[in-house]
Amino acid sequence: MNASTITALNWNVEKGINWEEAATWVQLQDPDIFFQQEVQPGQLDVLAERLGMDGYIAVHRPGSNNDNAIFVKRGGPLAFVEEYEQSWAPWHAPANIAVRLRDDDGTFSPRQINCVSGHACYWSAEYRLTEAKWCSTLAKPGWLALHFWDWNSYRADEGGPWEDYDDLAFVANRTYFDGGRRHTDDRPDREMLAAGYVEMGRHAAEHLGQPDALNPSSGYRDHPGRPKGPRYCIDRGYLSAELAPALTSYTVCDTPELRRLSDHLPLRAEFDFAQMRTILHRPAAMYQPHDNRHAASAHGHHQAAAGGAA
């Protein structure tokens, strides 16, 4: 394995309806890690085999079959470490795994990346805020995280105006009431930025000369009571600020065929392997649990266990 780049792909494949054609497109992209939303019962294993990847799906929550999943390329530059069940979730549970970088000699990086595939609640701004607040638990000093979500909400200072919408249910879903009036729901984005995350679309537009990274990812299908045409990007990726220098490109993939296959467009992020390796081998100061009862005999064990959470 002599990788020069690491490719991450995200796609909400609408209710898994066109999963076979979508999987064919994903295969052609050859991602090292693939984040998917709205995976249906029974699809995980067939998708994994079709893609040549190992699949990890979120713990199922009652109320909907649209689950989140993450797929990791077999023998690729990222190696699966551990899976975490996030059953606290008020709606769809996020899929959450940790990966380490696999070096050419087969050894793994000392630090790992927490990877999250999420689908924020479309009908509750309060649930979306809770989901974004949970993401801050993976933003502790020294920890590394990579999030791809369908946020069902907007970047700060985007969204609306809502006067042109006759679909009042949609307006209620995408706003929140405070101070005697309704506000566009951009709180998840603000929460992620407050926790120290970098939004990849903004970063690519501002620092990599890629303004198209801010393109809309949904809204291009006609809905009664809503203005025609895409407006904003509700599918967004966030990463720990320490990982941002490794990002080399970020694309909202848009073709007529992709628009036919789903009501969301895929996101593609490219990372420089050498830069990623530098980051994942860099020492990091972080909080580590310490048991005073066994401090002398188990210090090395605690170091290893806690360091794995970075």
Side-chain angles (χ1 to χ4, degrees), residues 166-233:
D166 295 324
D167 185 350
L168 299 183
F170 182 79
V171 174
N173 293 159
R174 294 295 176 88
T175 62
Y176 64 95
F177 191 78
D178 183 61
R181 66 184 184 90
R182 301 204 71 83
H183 303 264
T184 297
D185 187 24
D186 59 10
R187 294 185 301 180
D189 180 55
R190 294 182 185 275
E191 196 72 19
M192 295 295 283
L193 299 180
Y197 287 115
V198 171
E199 197 251 305
M200 287 182 266
R202 283 190 188 92
H203 182 83
E206 295 171 5
H207 302 287
L208 302 178
Q210 300 170 9
D212 289 349
L214 298 174
N215 283 356
S217 64
S218 65
Y220 44 81
R221 290 186 176 173
D222 291 340
H223 291 272
R226 305 182 200 174
K228 294 183 182 297
R231 293 190 171 197
Y232 306 108
C233 190

Side-chain angles (χ1 to χ4, degrees), residues 1 9 12 16 35 53 68 96 98 103 108 112 125 139 151 154 168 173 177 180 189 219 277 284 300 308:
M1 182 192 69
L9 199 69
N12 180 340
F35 301 70
M53 307 178 84
N68 301 300
N96 179 199
D103 283 330
F108 296 157
Q112 68 186 36
W151 288 99
Y154 306 92
L168 299 183
N173 293 159
F177 191 78
D189 180 55
R277 186 186 187 283

Side-chain angles (χ1 to χ4, degrees), residues 240-255:
S240 302
E242 194 176 354
L243 293 173
L247 184 69
T248 58
S249 71
Y250 187 80
T251 307
V252 180
C253 305
D254 189 357
T255 67

